[in-house]
Amino acid sequence: MEAVAKKKYAAKDYKSDLKPIWCPGCGDYTVLNSITRALAELALPPEQVAVVSGIGCSSRIPAYTSVYGFHGVHGRALPVATGLKLARPDLTVLVTGGDGDGFSIGGNHFLHACRRNVDLTYIVMDNQVYGMTKGQASPTTAPDWEGSKLTPEGTGINPFQPLVVGLASGANFIARVSSSDPINMAKIIVEAIRHPGFSLVQVLSPCVTFRPEQAEWRDIVRTAVVDYTDDAARAARRLMTDDGFNVGKVLFKGSRPPFRPEFENSNGSVAELEARFAL
Amino acid sequence: MEAVAKKKYAAKDYKSDLKPIWCPGCGDYTVLNSITRALAELALPPEQVAVVSGIGCSSRIPAYTSVYGFHGVHGRALPVATGLKLARPDLTVLVTGGDGDGFSIGGNHFLHACRRNVDLTYIVMDNQVYGMTKGQASPTTAPDWEGSKLTPEGTGINPFQPLVVGLASGANFIARVSSSDPINMAKIIVEAIRHPGFSLVQVLSPCVTFRPEQAEWRDIVRTAVVDYTDDAARAARRLMTDDGFNVGKVLFKGSRPPFRPEFENSNGSVAELEARFAL
Amino acid sequence: MTAKSVSLVIAGSGGAGVVTAGSLLLDAAAKAGWYALMSRSSGPQIRGGEAAAMLRFATGPVMSHDDSFHLLMAIDWDNITRFSAEIPLTGNSLIVGDPAHGEAPAGLLKNSPRQAALAMTDIAGKIENGRPNMVALGAIAALIGLPAGAMQAVVEDNLKRKGQAAIEASMTAFHAGVAAAADLPAIPKLPAVAADSGPRWSITGNEATGLGVIRGGVRFVAAYPITPATEVLEWLAPSLAKVGGMLVQAEDELASINQIIGASYGGVPAMTATSGPGLSLMIESLGLAVAAEVPLVVVDVMRVGPSTGIATKSEQSDLNIAVYGLHGDAPHIVVAANSVSDCLFTTQWAVHLAEAMQVPALVLTDQAMGQARAIVPKPAELAFIGQRLTATAAVEGERYKRYAMTGSGVSPMAIPGMPGLTHTADGLEHNEFGTPSSQASDHHAQMDKRSRKLTQFNYGDHWADIEDSEVGAGDTAIITWGSSTGPAREALDRYSAAGGKARLISVRLIAPVQPEKMAAALQGMRRVLVVEQSHSGQFYRMLRAFYDLPVETRSLHQGGPLAFGPGQILEQLTAWSA
Amino acid sequence: MTAKSVSLVIAGSGGAGVVTAGSLLLDAAAKAGWYALMSRSSGPQIRGGEAAAMLRFATGPVMSHDDSFHLLMAIDWDNITRFSAEIPLTGNSLIVGDPAHGEAPAGLLKNSPRQAALAMTDIAGKIENGRPNMVALGAIAALIGLPAGAMQAVVEDNLKRKGQAAIEASMTAFHAGVAAAADLPAIPKLPAVAADSGPRWSITGNEATGLGVIRGGVRFVAAYPITPATEVLEWLAPSLAKVGGMLVQAEDELASINQIIGASYGGVPAMTATSGPGLSLMIESLGLAVAAEVPLVVVDVMRVGPSTGIATKSEQSDLNIAVYGLHGDAPHIVVAANSVSDCLFTTQWAVHLAEAMQVPALVLTDQAMGQARAIVPKPAELAFIGQRLTATAAVEGERYKRYAMTGSGVSPMAIPGMPGLTHTADGLEHNEFGTPSSQASDHHAQMDKRSRKLTQFNYGDHWADIEDSEVGAGDTAIITWGSSTGPAREALDRYSAAGGKARLISVRLIAPVQPEKMAAALQGMRRVLVVEQSHSGQFYRMLRAFYDLPVETRSLHQGGPLAFGPGQILEQLTAWSA
Ligand SMILES: Cc1ncc(C[n+]2csc(CCOP(=O)(O)OP(=O)(O)O)c2C)c(N)n1
Ligand SMILES: Cc1ncc(C[n+]2csc(CCOP(=O)(O)OP(=O)(O)O)c2C)c(N)n1
Ligand code: SF4
Ligand code: SF4
Ligand SMILES: [Mg+2]
Ligand SMILES: [Mg+2]
């Protein structure tokens, strides 16, 4: 088989025929494009890739791709992906979702996925809102946003810093990108997939319906000035002092080996196990 | 009433008659002592204090005190305490528990309690093990600890850094103490209770039964050399580079006001609400 | 041709203003003195996309949708067949479409409804700022006999801020529609309401739910948004603030249930609202509330399951999890609302029950009643205000027993702040003091106590709504619950009207079961028809488990999201007696 | 005086080596060719504290503990009355205590058992490195007829690493105990086993559970520790590693259930083990596995509920949550093991069922059987290896239907890596392709399919273990399940021995229900006694809901943690026939 030339793929080879339920102009369209573009760049056979998600507008991505998809329950995409990747290390496993799915209900799995460092790529479409349930504050929402009837005076709570917490918990690759620059996003997703261990990619992906003011993001974002560091403490300082709009670059790359339980001996038989009970 | 002298309390006034189920020598005994000592120092009437916990050896503390206690389910002490404190801002609410309860199953509530910054004091007895279930690795366990049959080759996972993650998530007060110095621990608990917002106190509290080697902690710990900072980025750098044995001091103090939803008008009547439905 | 009720649908794609049109029509009907019920349905798109507003109007309270619709007014045909199962039409029904959008799709024509054209786009195009949906409203008003004045008043209210020109544009389009209706075939008209039709409210089930818990005394709510419960919370957040309470948006359902446990332990009546997936996450901590005896209310606005299922549509399939879902033996309360306005009664009662018995009370409502808006008779004032048996002052030298054995099973509860009564509430099995115990004797005593408090409570007549045919109960009973009650009520009415005799038992108190009351209600009944909207007949199985039913018991069950039509139930009754 | 079985308890405070003594005795009994059952009980302390080892020996398989114990050997009396409810004694029982620790506490003497003294401390004190528990073992061995050679062999095995001196010290103490027993009153002896008693295993229920899933083909386990399920996991972790599988310790139960969903979706049979509180947290995602049709096995080693309850003790009260706990209509498998060794059969079968039907299978065991060790006949080899219907190669131009409608309801499953069969598995309601759909027709079709695959499957005879009295079944049936089967079996044996006729039906397949098979099993039965260890009679209610039971059906239920004695069940049978 070695002589067979590597098959060429185009982005559209990774798209399904399903029409997204997204609102016209939603940032998630470009994320879908960038993911398929990245897969084409990596020339991964579609059947060797799995995209796992929870629930939310952004979590609808799996069905819009032509790879293996799993659309689970709200907040539990990371453990599903962890089990899948550990059981099937041969697959390339991506996880897609939103800020609510990942950092609110899914926060604990986020912490432990970063820490466990299984070789996954986690792409979070951060729109600072629960889109799917029609516009409530998410963990990344600014404290004074009064757009939801659930928190009519604003949440009054400091926004969650996904990249800082991800870093503090041990994520091995951290990047922030903007849905307004799909080409660059695709490039960074390629890098994230290639990097061993747990890779976290935050995408600023506007919700045009419940956060129409996010249309401005395209003008506010700027390409981060510094290149990535491999020093977590330094990355932490940078991330804790940035305003969240430095995009387009990898911000941190660690070198921890991915988690993969290794066992002394896998050739034992069930009979040997049984023998221990025999009198 | 103003003229009445403040009643004096002794530590024992905060202890119940119940004999702890703990193993002789468990670090949690001194934590109980330090908490009661701190309450005496603050001269809080026992009925004005509540201690909330989840499940674990360390989570047994409420019943050993003479204040109001709530012993809930595994990992959910922080939300119980959040509801209690928001509903009853007049009470002093402490939360006690272990590294498993707080950082494994309870990780998401930990994140969001730090972020929400309700005026609670969270005392975590970190023994790097699940004591109650007879010795499995916890999130803070070193990756090469082979003492549990569940992870006979060690977990292979970097330990969770509670103070770094607490800081990254917005905890307003952070300290680390050792159960080998109960006097100092009591002092710091007093400070933590007095500090508004969410205060996190990590106690190195050895599990003599499943981690007998932790008996050495008493010799390894050292008093932190620097005093606390109010600069989160600086505190992060310090915490990310320390070895976990700098104890006895407050490490970070923030000045975010505690979360307390404030409403325009609380004098409305139910009749006014009903009127909106009338035709 | 006048009728007791008129049913119609307005459908079209998102931009067409279907939902606005439906709401205006409802409001106008209210002004006209009518009663009404409005449900909505929409496609999978988050925003925009196709939508349908289903309305039924009557001169008296409307409990249910009809078996079919008299009129389908289609602003356009985009994806309209997505709704065909939800819009039953007969040969007598009338489809009115706009020729500008072509022909009605075949999917709607199965039963050969009558068809007619209304050039809404054209007509509206000739009016400055005229919109097709206002033309449609005009035609509808003329067809069903809704006075133009009522619509005028509503449009004025709604467009006040937009100015006089906007009002006039709308009303011009409306009147053009009225005029055009002259060329349309007739559908039944509702008579004008002669005198005052009594004080009425316009309310949704989800709003009624929110109001019910506030009336009951709840002042702390923690919750995580989920369809179709979110509106309960969205109504509660600002409303609680007005009466000195608060709503906290939690990080997840595990947090929300535990936050309300904490608040309630602190003495403040507390609740949360969710739907099936969220309820699933609360199960462990509901057990904690049972064991630690913390009163609280959890409302489950049911949607189609299992798993994420169909988030925007209705089913009555969370009965099992609500009744049996907790691990261990964990006695608790389950009540169910049986109509839009009963959401108010039932949730208020639930707070009362939870507080009185120091137990979690689950309230089952569903998407159909939760998201429906109804014009209903003004609900009665209710005496149910949550009242806990709190401990009185400490007795010198006597240790307080949080879980004291009492005849009623209810032990006086100390609230933090009360001196001398400190104790630890515990989810571990415990003795009377609350001290953990693994003795069988303590376990049995506490288990007995926890179930005794529920079985010995006086629930009065509220356990079920029971109605007989005017001519008597006969020997046939319908037993149902929740949203299926509306169509069952109407089936009973029609059956009576045709001379039939039957009894309707709509069970509000699902758990604990009331075998004696049910036995009395079934006295003389030879036949029972159990009606519910679940695929597996959960309610029927539960009745079998706990009640003695006559041999001739039949189960009429169907999974969601389509509600029963009254005719479906009537058919069973008639077939049986035949 | 020989007997069919001998029952005894060794009790004392933690340092006294009670548990070690019990294990040595069990091993020695094994060497002697006997069968045995050993349970343990301990106080609330995490380590040390009082403990009791309850043992029953017989020359044939032991299914249950007896109604009372022949002997209580108390190394000391510390807190021993904590166990009095668990150590029923009669006037014939013998309590042997050490005078060095004073008198037996009154709590043990209710039924006036015989008493005798054995100066264990004194005797041991005279032997270098002699320990009182070995003296106790010597006395026990002499009393029950256990050959000293058997103990010699066991002590040699156990103390090999400690050297010859340690072995000799132990055996000297043992023989001193044997000698001292000459002064003790007699209790029944077991006869020596004549010939080979057949191949036997020594295994705990939790180990058997682990072995069962590995035999069934499971190679991925994710779990969060919880008493009393932890030993299943502790056995599995190193064992899986040996056969090329793995166990991952997850951050919580929400993670563990979802990790195994991921692994199973990836094609690797997967399971987790937990207890009530953990199962509660898995409920939402179990529904996902139902809707997305992902096979998996979840073992619930039940403990006393509700809530945290009594973590270290047994109850059969998670039946309700296992059967009915999921929101929506969510058909799945529930099976229950009925003995220590049946844990192996039932879990292996569960893997087979889950894989064959692409559905989650819950297995109910409990603390009593899970943590008990038994000497049992070597279990049979079983043919059940999980086998999934996987999709074959893609058909050119045909889109793969993950949820294709088939007669059996089972659709061929594509596993990631298979070209041309990519699809998205979904917990949202969907059509055959897996595309989300909110159409009633798709919902009904998928609901029918998901329940059809369970009802049409051929479960063979394994749905229940059915046994009749030797002289025939008569007209009386005991229906029971799980751990209550052991005492029910023994009750049936005793009833038969006394000339009674009855049938025992121990239900292994709890859900889906098997009405036809049950009807056949109940053919000719006029009376049914339902036996279970739950406070509210969960199993009885479930049987009523789904099966037709004779009018004369009685429910014998009691909450944990005390197991039924065979005599309690026999009493019901006898009273009934009287
Ligand atoms: C257990 C549970 N709780 C709540 C919900 C309702 N829900 C669905 S999506 C969602 C939030 C989605 O927000 P996010 O992850 O940011 O995705 P977005 O829609 O913004 O892309 C919520 C709360 C649910 N499906 N399940
Ligand atoms: C939902 C649930 N899962 C698992 C358990 C079992 N459990 C009880 S305590 C505990 C861990 C305790 O560890 P930690 O919090 O570190 O407390 P420690 O005993 O070490 O003080 C576990 C896993 C439980 N009670 N509930
Ligand atoms: S609601 Fe917001 S996030 Fe959802 S599809 Fe629309 S624009 Fe995108
Ligand atoms: S097991 Fe460890 S943590 Fe628990 S009481 Fe004993 S020493 Fe303390
Ligand atoms: Mg979002
Ligand atoms: Mg610990």
Side-chain angles (χ1 to χ4, degrees), chain C residues 315 329 443 448 535-536 541 545, chain D residues 315 329 443 448 535-536 545:
Chain C
E315 198 169 66
D329 275 308
H443 179 51
D448 287 344
H535 182 262
S536 66
R541 294 293 167 188
Chain D
E315 197 169 66
D329 275 307
H443 178 51
D448 287 343
H535 182 263
S536 66

Side-chain angles (χ1 to χ4, degrees), chain C residues 21-237:
Chain C
S23 300
L24 292 173
L25 205 52
L26 187 90
D27 292 351
K31 295 258 187 234
W34 290 349
Y35 289 83
L37 179 68
M38 175 172 83
S39 312
R40 288 189 255 160
S41 187
S42 50
Q45 304 84 345
I46 310 292
R47 182 177 230 184
E50 60 283 4
M54 291 89 161
L55 296 115
R56 188 181 189 191
F57 301 106
T59 49
V62 180
M63 286 320 210
S64 158
H65 278 294
D66 206 344
D67 297 313
S68 61
F69 290 90
H70 297 106
L71 171 69
L72 163 59
M73 176 66 69
I75 314 270
D76 59 48
W77 308 110
D78 284 2
N79 284 320
I80 199 169
T81 47
R82 273 222 172 98
F83 304 119
S84 26
E86 294 171 64
I87 312 179
L89 299 175
T90 69
N92 272 327
S93 303
L94 174 66
I95 299 185
V96 177
D98 187 338
H101 294 287
E103 298 277 294
L108 294 175
L109 307 178
K110 266 174 229 147
N111 296 325
S112 315
R114 297 177 291 158
Q115 293 193 57
L118 177 67
M120 298 171 243
T121 320
D122 272 10
I123 297 173
K126 289 180 196 131
I127 297 157
E128 199 179 342
N129 291 322
R131 296 186 52 207
N133 62 348
M134 286 308 301
V135 177
L137 285 188
I140 293 171
L143 286 170
I144 67 172
L146 179 71
M151 185 59 78
Q152 175 86 32
V154 167
V155 168
E156 278 172 10
D157 283 0
N158 271 267
L159 297 184
K160 212 177 301 166
R161 271 174 313 160
K162 295 209 177 162
Q164 193 55 33
I167 295 173
E168 266 163 34
S170 281
M171 287 311 295
T172 310
F174 177 84
H175 285 293
V178 171
D183 300 333
L184 294 174
I187 61 166
K189 277 190 166 51
L190 268 194
V193 176
D196 182 17
S197 47
R200 287 160 310 136
W201 282 15
S202 167
I203 194 164
T204 69
N206 278 346
E207 289 167 345
T209 297
L211 180 60
V213 293
I214 287 190
R215 270 201 189 183
V218 163
R219 290 298 178 272
F220 185 90
V221 175
Y224 190 72
I226 187 166
T227 307
T230 310
E231 297 96 351
V232 176
L233 308 168
E234 288 179 338
W235 186 87
L236 275 168

